[in-house]
Amino acid sequence: MPAYFDECATQFINLDPDSIIGRLSQGTSDAGFFQQLSSQVDAWRTQIIHLQRALAELAIDRSISDWHVLLEYPIPRRAKRIDAVILAAGVILVLEFKIGASDFDRHAIVQVEDYCLDLRDFHKSSHGRSIVPIVVATGAQHEHSLPGAGEDRVKPVWLSNSDNLAKTIKCALNQYSCDTGAPVDGLEWNNSDYSPTPTIIESAQSLYAGQDVKEITRCHAGTANLTITSETILKTAEIARTYKKKMICFVTGVPGSGKTLAGLNIVHNRQIHDGELGVFMSGNIPLVRVLRAALARDHSRRNRGSKSESKRKVSTFIQVAKDFIKAYIDDERKVPVDRIVVFDEAQRAWNAEQSNRKFGHNFSEPEMMLRIMDRHPDWAVFVALVGNGQEIHTGEAGLAEWGRALERRFSHWHVVISPSLAASSDFGAGALFPNGATSKVSITENKSLHLNVTMRSFKAEVLSEYVASLLALNPVRCKEIAAKLRDYPLFLTRDLNEAKAWLRERRRGSRRVGLVASSGARRLRAYGLDVKAELDVEHWFLSPEEDVRSSYFLEVPATEFGIQGLELDWIGLCWGGDLVPQGKSWLLRSFKGAKWQIVRNTVKQQFIINKYRVLLTRAREGMVIWVPVGDTSDLTRPPKYYDAIASYLVECGICPL
């Protein structure tokens, strides 16, 4: 979507402010925006006057004939608009005006830096350009700031008041024009492809606010992939409703490919429900807590309502799986309100033994869920989202339990599967029907139900393949793939403070940093990191950098249980002593009492490997891995094991800091 106003700078200077405001007013069809138009017009007029004056001053001693001015340029990922963009001498100036402000508040600085980072990463015509964020507090007494050059294409934030805006722009151009190319074409820039890759939290907020999945996720190959998958599930639901069928879809995907987003899209799709309700469920309690809190905060802010009311509304759409089961399982006459249920990480559903402990019923979680949904007299749809190599806890039944439940009792349900589940080699022991399905189960394969492109790491589509090769102890393949990870910084350090410093340097705008570690890395406590400490996930993922509970403080690591299904922009992975390479195999260990014990059970061995698979695929932009040095005086931290880990990671192409 182009800016509401764009014009060459020489023309802009001579236009009447009211004519510019008229064009700006025509640019928006947002009803809520029109309600605020009176105050907005005043802000626009002040902003236009300051910009015209600054550009006229600059035009006295330099040519601005190839400059371009854009006002109200939309940033869909953030559902906001940039106040002003000036394309000048090959440099992109991004201005955030605070009309009447006498100081430069932190929120404005974060906001304009976020805009610039998004342009750098997602706006095609901004790639390779120097992008300069400027906050203009019109009533400030400040002189303009003079930041350093900065290695990144997004330069440090400049601060200006209305009187020295021309001087600020001039200084910024003098400093950065040396690393730019040809002038930026205004028409091309304004109509350039903008393909954002939102976080799962941002995506959930946008969907809940009524945006379409096509608008919020227009990302490289993942765009079409995710859209087709969502549409396939919606068509399946339409068939079920029209022909009074009960259908179950199994959606597979690599880590970060958008399975959760596809599920949320189904729940929030207005067309398919037509009065019927849908619910998104997960056994991942931290994921549910974070999504609920994020949606409630955003809903309360947008609607200016109470947080408690927003939380109540959100809770009807996103539920913890065990709460759903408890509400229905004991009363067989009770039919669920929801017709369409999406269950995230379905391969992690409890087996019968674990379910008996949790619910007092001696049958598995898959069977319990299907029993509940089968009570609908006509139609129902169950969508099972399946991750590969994501089982991390004892008692998780795997996909085979879904297959057994369907064959034993629910063969009247029509099954639609990703082809990845038809071949047991793709999902190992977790295949849906390891021995082949019986003829009484109706199965349709649909290749659209597999998401094979990661969207989490928008700078590295091959990250999941790299991690799979690393955990498969295939360093040769890792090095081959590492060549495709040039835009995804991946470093190793033996110094925790160095890892923290590296992360703090990347804490720009609202981009989030944090530490993660395996729940089995118990001896990290010697370095002040206790993986057993309870994680306040809501504040860790959502609170700002000044909050000591937030991930920004780099004090409490999230384990695989806290971060599965979620992500951060930059991650510091703290490698423990539970996964150590030994030649062509892993030494897998569990810390019990005061010493390490070798894990020989093959299922538990896979859990440890899967923990690291989860942790290694949580970073969107880049990662530093810290491997401790160890201590010869501590038998639980022998340096030889940590040295083996570090050597192997270097062999896999990970560069030391």
Side-chain angles (χ1 to χ4, degrees), residues 242-310:
T242 302
Y243 296 101
K244 309 302 180 187
K245 292 177 176 288
K246 289 174 181 170
M247 305 184 74
I248 180 167
C249 293
F250 288 90
V251 181
T252 57
V254 299
S257 58
K259 297 184 298 295
T260 301
L261 177 54
L264 289 169
N265 186 43
I266 301 304
V267 171
H268 296 301
N269 188 281
R270 270 68 170 170
Q271 293 178 332
I272 187 63
H273 295 317
D274 190 26
E276 306 293 348
L277 298 178
V279 62
F280 178 91
M281 290 193 306
S282 176
N284 184 343
I285 296 176
L287 173 66
V288 172
R289 285 176 58 189
V290 171
L291 287 179
R292 277 182 173 178
L295 292 182
R297 289 183 183 191
D298 186 62
H299 182 270
S300 176
R301 177 186 58 80
R302 284 186 293 100
N303 296 280
R304 300 182 181 180
S306 69
K307 289 183 179 179
S308 59
E309 178 61 16
S310 293

Side-chain angles (χ1 to χ4, degrees), residues 81-387:
R81 296 175 301 275
I82 302 175
D83 287 341
V85 176
I86 301 175
L87 307 177
V91 177
I92 300 169
L93 304 167
V94 177
L95 285 71
E96 176 66 19
F97 280 84
K98 297 301 176 185
I99 306 300
S102 59
D103 57 13
F104 302 94
D105 66 72
R106 177 63 185 161
H107 175 75
I109 293 170
V110 168
Q111 185 176 0
V112 73
E113 199 165 34
D114 274 338
Y115 292 157
C116 293
L117 292 170
D118 281 0
L119 289 175
R120 179 198 67 187
D121 293 334
F122 309 125
H123 187 260
K124 186 176 181 180
S125 289
S126 296
H127 291 175
R129 299 285 188 174
S130 289
I131 307 174
V132 184
I134 302 174
V135 175
V136 185
T138 58
Q141 299 302 310
H142 247 254
E143 276 299 314
H144 70 281
S145 54
L146 189 62
E151 296 180 5
D152 195 279
R153 284 296 181 182
V154 173
K155 305 306 178 183
V157 178
W158 290 63
L159 307 176
S160 176
N161 59 25
S162 56
D163 293 331
N164 62 31
L165 180 55
K167 185 178 179 182
T168 300
I169 293 173
K170 182 178 180 179
C171 288
L173 292 179
N174 288 342
Q175 187 154 341
Y176 304 131
S177 59
C178 59
D179 61 1
T180 63
V184 184
D185 182 275
L187 181 63
E188 179 185 330
W189 192 93
N190 192 25
N191 292 284
S192 177
D193 180 44
Y194 178 82
S195 302
T197 307
T199 66
I200 187 59
I201 292 172
E202 291 168 338
S203 299
Q205 289 172 334
S206 298
L207 286 170
Y208 193 69
Q211 284 187 259
D212 188 271
V213 70
K214 294 178 183 177
E215 290 301 313
I216 64 174
T217 313
R218 295 179 294 164
C219 151
H220 46 75
T223 309
N225 201 194
L226 179 62
T227 302
I228 291 170
T229 299
S230 297
E231 289 176 350
T232 299
I233 299 170
L234 290 171
K235 287 177 183 176
T236 301
E238 186 63 54
I239 290 170
R241 185 173 65 176
T242 302
Y243 296 101
K244 309 302 180 187
K245 292 177 176 288
K246 289 174 181 170
M247 305 184 74
I248 180 167
C249 293
F250 288 90
V251 181
T252 57
V254 299
S257 58
K259 297 184 298 295
T260 301
L261 177 54
L264 289 169
N265 186 43
I266 301 304
V267 171
H268 296 301
N269 188 281
R270 270 68 170 170
Q271 293 178 332
I272 187 63
H273 295 317
D274 190 26
E276 306 293 348
L277 298 178
V279 62
F280 178 91
M281 290 193 306
S282 176
N284 184 343
I285 296 176
L287 173 66
V288 172
R289 285 176 58 189
V290 171
L291 287 179
R292 277 182 173 178
L295 292 182
R297 289 183 183 191
D298 186 62
H299 182 270
S300 176
R301 177 186 58 80
R302 284 186 293 100
N303 296 280
R304 300 182 181 180
S306 69
K307 289 183 179 179
S308 59
E309 178 61 16
S310 293
K311 285 182 178 180
R312 187 193 65 76
K313 288 183 177 180
V314 167
S315 66
T316 63
F317 288 99
I318 300 178
Q319 298 182 19
V320 176
K322 68 176 183 181
D323 293 341
F324 177 85
I325 292 173
K326 284 181 177 178
Y328 294 104
I329 194 61
D330 290 327
D331 186 353
E332 294 189 0
R333 297 169 299 175
K334 193 174 182 181
V335 179
V337 174
D338 313 290
R339 292 274 189 175
I340 302 173
V341 167
V342 178
F343 185 42
D344 201 20
E345 299 293 353
Q347 79 284 353
R348 297 187 59 198
W350 297 123
N351 58 25
E353 182 181 357
Q354 193 75 359
S355 292
N356 197 22
R357 293 195 192 103
K358 299 283 184 181
F359 307 108
H361 291 272
N362 194 28
F363 40 85
S364 68
E365 196 170 16
E367 184 169 343
M368 280 192 283
M369 289 188 174
L370 291 174
R371 277 176 181 247
I372 292 169
M373 292 303 292
D374 200 49
R375 294 173 192 166
H376 283 291
D378 42 20
W379 72 278
V381 175
F382 197 99
V383 181
L385 308 177
V386 180

Side-chain angles (χ1 to χ4, degrees), residues 468-587:
S469 297
L470 187 152
L471 294 175
L473 292 164
N474 188 347
V476 174
R477 180 58 182 149
C478 280
K479 275 202 167 181
E480 293 173 356
I481 301 171
K484 302 176 183 178
L485 293 172
R486 293 191 187 94
D487 294 330
Y488 186 90
L490 190 55
F491 289 104
L492 169 73
T493 181
R494 308 300 299 277
D495 185 332
L496 179 57
N497 288 328
E498 187 176 47
K500 290 183 177 181
W502 187 86
L503 289 169
R504 290 188 181 108
E505 288 173 2
R506 279 142 189 83
R507 194 177 66 186
R508 303 191 64 185
S510 60
R511 300 290 169 96
R512 206 163 190 95
V513 304
L515 298 176
V516 299
S518 161
S519 61
R522 298 282 293 279
R523 291 305 297 138
L524 292 180
R525 191 170 66 173
Y527 304 93
L529 301 176
D530 186 359
V531 296
K532 292 192 71 178
E534 185 177 355
L535 187 71
D536 185 344
V537 290
E538 179 179 338
H539 291 288
W540 198 86
F541 280 101
L542 300 176
S543 291
E545 60 184 344
E546 61 269 18
D547 192 321
V548 297
R549 299 165 295 181
S550 73
S551 65
Y552 291 111
F553 266 73
L554 305 176
E555 291 182 351
V556 181
T559 69
E560 68 279 4
F561 298 114
I563 202 168
Q564 188 173 40
L566 294 161
E567 68 242 322
L568 296 183
D569 296 294
W570 300 91
I571 272 178
L573 170 54
C574 307
W575 202 292
D578 51 342
L579 186 66
V580 181
Q582 281 193 331
K584 295 185 178 181
S585 63
W586 290 107
L587 173 65

